[in-house]
């Protein structure tokens, strides 16, 4: 019985290590990335009823000043966003983006 219990414990511990390695493995490649992820998670947990823009974006450092985010009801341009070959597939009859294949 002890052998079976030990084997189950070893399998569980190995599975946990594999999951942790898969989830956190990519974080070590970029300095500061883990800290940014932790701030994002904490911000989302602190304000669960807020939108991502209101809760998470304030804690993430600005990496690009030319990014624009469009709110609900705003129309985002398709030029420069989707390749020309995709446009027919992702836009509806009114020209708005409906889905991305």
């Amino acid at each position: 019985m002890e052998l079976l219990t030990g084997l189950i414990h070893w399998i569980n511990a190995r599975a946990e290590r594999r999951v942790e390695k898969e989830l956190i493995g990519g974080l070590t490649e970029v300095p500061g990335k883990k800290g940014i992820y932790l701030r994002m998670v904490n911000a989302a947990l602190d304000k669960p009823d807020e939108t991502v823009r209101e809760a998470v974006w304030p804690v993430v450092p600005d990496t690009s000043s030319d990014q624009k985010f469009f709110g609900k009801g705003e129309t985002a341009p398709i030029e420069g966003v989707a390749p020309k070959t995709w446009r027919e597939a992702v836009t509806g009859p009114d020209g708005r983006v409906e889905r991305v294949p």
Side-chain angles (χ1 to χ4, degrees), residues 40-97:
M40 288 171 58
V41 168
N42 287 330
L45 292 174
D46 290 343
K47 300 176 184 177
D49 296 327
E50 300 290 329
T51 63
V52 171
R53 183 183 297 174
E54 294 168 348
V56 177
W57 283 123
V59 301
V60 177
D62 184 19
T63 58
S64 175
S65 58
D66 62 354
Q67 291 180 345
K68 169 123 175 67
F69 297 95
F70 297 90
K72 191 174 185 177
E74 290 182 290
T75 303
I78 191 117
E79 290 291 325
V81 176
K84 288 182 182 181
T85 56
W86 286 20
R87 289 189 191 151
E88 187 178 316
V90 298
T91 56
D94 59 354
R96 295 183 61 179
V97 175

Side-chain angles (χ1 to χ4, degrees), residues 16-27:
E16 285 180 21
R17 284 193 304 272
R18 280 184 150 174
V19 168
E20 287 175 5
K21 183 178 178 183
E22 186 175 324
L23 292 175
I24 299 175
L27 297 179

